[in-house]
Amino acid sequence: MAVPKRKTSRMQRRQRKAANRYEGVAATYCVSCGAPVMPHRVCSACGQYDGKQVITVEA
């Protein structure tokens, strides 16, 4: 029968179990238009990032 050579550390055990708790990236909302946006990305609806106009979007 296989027996572990040494005790699994708390950190190693927690890292293994953390994969089951991952729920994906939470959607955030644009400050200017309120459209759902991925974190750290330019808003595709209005073209703003961090309160500044970055790209021009055709309406």
Side-chain angles (χ1 to χ4, degrees):
M1 187 168 126
V3 178
K5 205 141 188 111
R6 59 189 73 230
K7 180 178 179 177
T8 306
S9 67
R10 283 187 220 120
M11 184 175 176
Q12 193 66 37
R13 189 178 356 155
R14 288 173 182 165
Q15 284 180 343
R16 186 177 63 242
K17 290 173 182 278
N20 298 328
R21 288 192 294 270
Y22 181 68
E23 295 179 357
V25 179
T28 56
Y29 296 96
C30 180
V31 178
S32 60
C33 69
V37 181
M38 293 285 283
H40 306 285
R41 306 290 196 290
V42 176
C43 179
S44 59
C46 66
Q48 289 197 359
Y49 179 77
D50 197 27
K52 300 177 191 108
Q53 190 69 31
V54 180
I55 58 172
T56 55
V57 179
E58 299 294 325

